[in-house]
Amino acid sequence: MTRHVLDIASLGADVLGEICSLAGRDPASLGAPLAGRGAALIFEKPSNRTRHSTEMAVVQLGGHPIYTRGEEVGLDVREPVEDVARVLAGYHAVLAARVFDHGTLVRMAAVSPVPVVNLLSDLAHPLQAVADVLTMRREFGSLRGRSVCWVGDYNNVARSLAEACALQGAALRFACPERHGADEGELGRLLALGAASVEQFRDPRLAASGSCAVHTDTWTSMGQEAEAAVRREEFAGFTVDEAVMAAALPDAVFMHCLPAHRGEEVVDAVIDGPASRVVPQAHDRLHSARAVLAWSLGVR
Ligand code: CP
Ligand code: NVA
């Protein structure tokens, strides 16, 4: 079966563990599975970390990345998504895309004989979640039974992180404003994936209590810019500040996928302070991308 990576939950706990092991290996030991082959990288939205880490991961695996902007490819504008995927699969060993609509990736995967990798959609950011796990494991070892806190928007990044933590038996503690949290069905889904517990609060300090890591992300994701002013009002009180970090465990770390909006979802003193792991977390994106690509190409 073609090894698509569209979200974390469908990988399952064993594959997530396998990917984390691949991430820890010397790139030279992975056998250059992309030697003489290409990787198509399509971006419908801007990127810094994802583009650079994925391109360099392709290089480390011996391959050649080709980046194209969404408007150049014209998914469903210039030609149907399915035609794009079928054609590119003849040139490349893997197709990877950052898209507005997760359904675009599902449609690509449905027709592509080579793996399709999600570089961020409205629903999921699996490469980010793998990096987040690598960073937290380096700090704490196993996440089983540990509490991980998310403050802010229950968005693409939150969902993938929650799935990854659930698969590893962590306890999840969310603090999200009304209308922007996880619904009951989602909380149940995370429990079914293996979370030790899933609790949702309105007070970020309560959610942070007892947590080993406090994560957050922008209040306004790419594509939601028209809602930015309303969102700033809705998310007031959901800033990760010193008081939130003080409520977490004494050795708790602060994490953020970046880009960050200092003064909104996080204050300078936290993101630039001693508990912040945002830079190593961003650097883990390279190891995450290399490992996910290697796994999708069948490296063992
Ligand atoms: N975290 C992340 O995906 O960053 P970019 O949008 O810069 O790729
Ligand atoms: N939630 C953010 C993540 C960016 C890496 C977005 O979708 O814009």
Side-chain angles (χ1 to χ4, degrees):
M1 239 175 57
T2 312
R3 293 182 160 190
H4 304 299
V5 180
L6 303 194
D7 59 61
I8 293 287
S10 39
L11 294 176
D14 290 349
V15 169
L16 180 59
E18 217 180 300
I19 288 171
C20 289
S21 303
L22 286 168
R25 277 171 54 185
D26 181 343
S29 77
L30 301 174
L34 283 173
R37 305 166 84 193
L41 313 181
I42 301 171
F43 282 76
E44 291 191 320
K45 308 175 189 178
S47 170
N48 177 20
R49 282 143 289 274
T50 306
R51 178 177 177 183
H52 281 270
S53 59
T54 309
E55 288 207 18
M56 288 315 299
V58 170
V59 169
Q60 290 187 342
L61 295 172
H64 181 86
I66 295 187
Y67 166 90
T68 34
R69 294 277 309 176
E71 56 263 35
E72 187 180 351
V73 180
L75 295 169
D76 281 341
V77 176
R78 197 161 176 264
E79 57 186 322
V81 165
E82 287 79 4
D83 285 356
V84 172
R86 287 188 194 102
V87 169
L88 290 178
Y91 313 143
H92 295 284
V94 61
L95 312 184
R98 167 167 283 197
V99 297
F100 284 100
D101 178 4
H102 190 81
T104 301
L105 294 164
V106 174
R107 287 170 59 198
M108 290 174 91
V111 300
S112 173
V114 303
V116 174
V117 174
N118 181 357
L119 300 179
L120 182 135
S121 68
D122 55 336
L123 282 188
H125 199 1
L127 296 188
Q128 182 67 55
V130 169
D132 297 350
V133 166
L134 296 175
T135 310
M136 288 191 289
R137 281 197 183 184
R138 194 162 51 242
E139 294 287 334
F140 307 113
S142 167
L143 295 181
R144 186 158 299 283
R146 286 193 169 267
S147 293
V148 175
C149 170
W150 177 272
V151 177
D153 193 12
Y154 190 73
N155 60 12
N156 41 14
V157 171
R159 196 174 292 105
S160 289
L161 173 68
E163 290 176 358
C165 290
L167 287 176
Q168 294 173 88
L172 293 164
R173 298 173 71 82
F174 302 139
C176 313
E178 228 175 318
R179 288 200 330 108
H180 299 289
D183 63 21
E184 286 301 317
E186 178 65 3
L187 301 181
R189 187 181 74 88
L190 294 168
L191 270 179
L193 281 178
S197 60
V198 188
E199 290 175 274
Q200 193 153 226
F201 304 86
R202 291 279 179 243
D203 181 346
R205 285 165 301 185
L206 284 180
S209 171
S211 296
C212 69
V214 177
H215 293 251
T216 190
D217 185 15
T218 181
W219 293 340
T220 302
S221 284
M222 290 180 276
Q224 299 173 331
E225 288 78 5
E227 301 168 25
V230 175
R231 283 176 164 264
R232 248 179 242 120
E233 285 172 21
E234 290 175 319
F235 284 85
F238 288 83
T239 299
V240 178
D241 58 15
E242 296 95 323
V244 174
M245 290 310 295
L249 292 175
D251 63 345
V253 296
F254 171 74
M255 296 181 62
H256 190 309
C257 64
L258 304 180
H261 306 79
R262 288 168 166 79
E264 292 195 6
E265 73 270 13
V266 61
V267 298
D268 291 2
V270 169
I271 192 167
D272 299 323
S276 179
R277 295 294 180 274
V278 299
V279 174
Q281 179 185 4
H283 292 168
D284 278 326
R285 291 294 307 274
L286 174 61
H287 309 305
S288 160
R290 187 178 62 246
V292 166
L293 290 173
W295 178 81
S296 72
L297 294 162
V299 174
R300 303 187 66 87

